[in-house]
Amino acid sequence: MKEYFKENLWFIIILIIIVALFNIRLPYYINMPGGTIEINDRIECKSCKDINGSLNLLYVSEYEATVPTYLLSLVMSDWDIEKVSEQQVNNETMEEIYNRNKIMLEESIDSAVIVAYKESNKEVNITNKKNIVIATTTDNNIKIGDEIIEVDGKKVENVIGIRKIISSKNKGDKIGIKVIRKGEEKVINTVVSDIDGNKMIGVVVSTDIDYEIDPKIKLKFKSSEAGASGGLMLALSIYSKIADEDIIKGRRIAGTGTIESDGTVGEIDGVKYKIMGADKDNIDLVFVPSDNYKEAIKIKKKKHYKMKIVKVDTFEDAVKYLKDNN
């Protein structure tokens, strides 16, 4: 055995180095063109109709960087490097980022269901709402897990209500946040900040909604899936299952964008990788939030893609477009 190691020492050393290089994780992500996930079969509903066509989520391919992939990203034109810290909120761990994104997915599902049922005039009865703090960006005495019930003395039903009150304030204004923490009500006084024109109090809030619906549906997601960027397409898929008309008409449709319970479609990250993924999977039509439209069109022109890209501000915009452009 010793003779074997002596004769193959350099080979063994090189092998160990290669294995180490591919397994040592660097504090970066590598972002690259993604693809599509068909969501027609993610929705189970006994009384719903099949969708005539294809509705797809768009995703970014994202990997933890190793030394070889980091070096490759320096020469691959469609690969980009992102620091892990850019996804962190207040020095979160990787597990905390994942858990926050799972909560955001659950909120996105709730909002998508409510929006789709209301738009299709189907029965949806909201029985309870809770605004839960899922991350904090500053040391403001608000804790993860706090339930926000009032902002500046006004009761709030959802994240939209919280955002509206805070946006009406000026930078430096003191504001009282009433929370429930471990069963007790507390008022936390904090200060409004202004970041790139957006008024904030240094928290990330998710609205947890309980509801009853008819017809009943069941949504299936993999444990590895998280985040809120699929909200628009999820709502569109639910709507297509339960509505009384076919608005898809056999088309291959994809899209991206968050969804609020009032139907507002929000900005997402990584739209250029998603557009590249849509082309790879031969998508006919892509919906994107208005805030992402310029970047989406830029990559379409640069790559000479043939797909139609449509900007939307609300869920109603997407439904109207599909009805008007059969």
Side-chain angles (χ1 to χ4, degrees):
M1 182 63 74
K2 287 184 179 179
E3 287 297 321
Y4 173 81
F5 277 107
K6 285 181 180 179
E7 292 174 1
N8 296 278
L9 180 60
W10 282 110
F11 171 77
I12 294 169
I13 291 172
I14 292 169
L15 184 62
I16 291 171
I17 292 172
I18 291 172
V19 171
L21 288 175
F22 276 95
N23 284 277
I24 294 173
R25 296 293 186 263
L26 303 177
Y28 298 94
Y29 289 115
I30 306 297
N31 293 325
M32 60 186 73
T36 61
I37 300 172
E38 188 165 342
I39 51 175
N40 301 1
D41 58 355
R42 296 293 186 93
I43 302 168
E44 293 182 351
C45 177
K46 292 181 180 178
S47 61
C48 297
K49 64 180 185 293
D50 291 331
I51 295 175
N52 176 27
S54 174
L55 289 167
N56 301 268
L57 301 173
L58 295 173
Y59 66 87
V60 177
S61 293
E62 181 181 81
Y63 301 95
E64 290 181 67
T66 60
V67 173
T69 57
Y70 181 90
L71 295 175
L72 269 175
S73 70
L74 299 177
V75 296
M76 298 292 288
S77 60
D78 291 335
W79 291 22
D80 290 314
I81 304 165
E82 179 184 21
K83 291 181 179 179
V84 170
S85 60
E86 292 178 10
Q87 291 196 17
Q88 290 175 310
V89 176
N90 204 16
N91 297 315
E92 289 173 304
T93 64
M94 296 293 291
E95 183 179 1
E96 286 170 336
I97 293 173
Y98 173 76
N99 290 336
R100 172 165 55 83
N101 284 332
K102 289 297 286 185
I103 293 170
M104 292 172 70
L105 172 61
E106 292 300 322
E107 180 184 16
S108 181
I109 290 170
D110 291 344
S111 295
V113 169
I114 290 165
V115 168
Y117 272 71
K118 286 182 176 178
E119 184 70 21
S120 58
N121 295 315
K122 301 299 181 182
E123 184 179 336
V124 53
N125 178 33
I126 297 173
T127 58
N128 192 34
K129 292 182 182 179
K130 289 183 179 181
N131 300 305
I132 306 299
V133 176
I134 59 174
T136 59
T137 62
T138 59
D139 186 13
N140 53 19
N141 295 318
I142 300 174
K143 306 294 185 183
I144 294 174
D146 283 351
E147 178 188 349
I148 296 178
I149 55 176
E150 289 184 10
V151 176
D152 197 32
K154 302 178 182 69
K155 290 187 177 180
V156 287
E157 287 193 359
N158 51 34
V159 174
I160 300 169
I162 295 172
R163 194 180 298 139
K164 188 177 293 186
I165 295 171
I166 294 169
S167 65
S168 70
K169 301 298 178 181
N170 296 315
K171 179 182 178 181
D173 284 353
K174 292 183 179 180
I175 190 169
I177 311 296
K178 183 180 281 189
V179 305
I180 297 176
R181 182 184 298 168
K182 296 181 179 179
E184 294 184 7
E185 292 187 3
K186 296 177 178 288
V187 175
I188 310 297
N189 293 308
T190 188
V191 176
V192 176
S193 59
D194 189 317
I195 301 176
D196 297 327
N198 297 310
K199 307 292 175 49
M200 299 181 179
I201 58 169
V203 295
V204 180
V205 181
S206 173
T207 302
D208 181 27
I209 306 174
D210 296 327
Y211 50 84
E212 298 171 347
I213 53 176
D214 185 34
K216 302 289 186 184
I217 60 171
K218 183 178 180 181
L219 295 105
K220 301 178 294 180
F221 283 87
K222 297 177 181 177
S223 60
S224 59
E225 293 171 336
S229 66
L232 168 63
M233 291 308 297
L234 181 57
L236 193 57
S237 184
I238 296 169
Y239 177 88
S240 299
K241 286 274 191 180
I242 64 176
D244 299 324
E245 62 179 314
D246 175 17
I247 62 172
I248 307 305
K249 302 292 184 182
R251 290 172 285 190
R252 288 182 56 77
I253 300 169
T256 186
T258 64
I259 194 84
E260 303 274 9
S261 57
D262 66 351
T264 301
V265 175
E267 184 180 6
I268 52 85
D269 294 325
V271 71
K272 72 174 184 178
Y273 310 110
K274 294 181 177 183
I275 296 299
M276 285 187 252
D279 177 77
K280 182 178 65 178
D281 289 349
N282 301 311
I283 295 298
D284 302 318
L285 169 66
V286 178
F287 288 116
V288 299
S290 289
D291 289 339
N292 296 113
Y293 182 70
K294 285 184 179 179
E295 185 181 359
I297 290 296
K298 182 178 178 181
I299 196 69
K300 174 189 172 179
K301 290 180 178 178
K302 179 181 177 181
K303 300 285 187 178
H304 306 291
Y305 294 153
K306 296 180 180 179
M307 72 187 73
K308 176 72 174 177
I309 298 178
V310 177
K311 62 180 177 180
V312 293
D313 292 304
T314 67
F315 180 71
E316 287 183 1
D317 290 344
V319 172
K320 185 178 187 301
Y321 180 89
L322 292 175
K323 287 182 177 180
D324 294 347
N325 295 272
N326 286 328

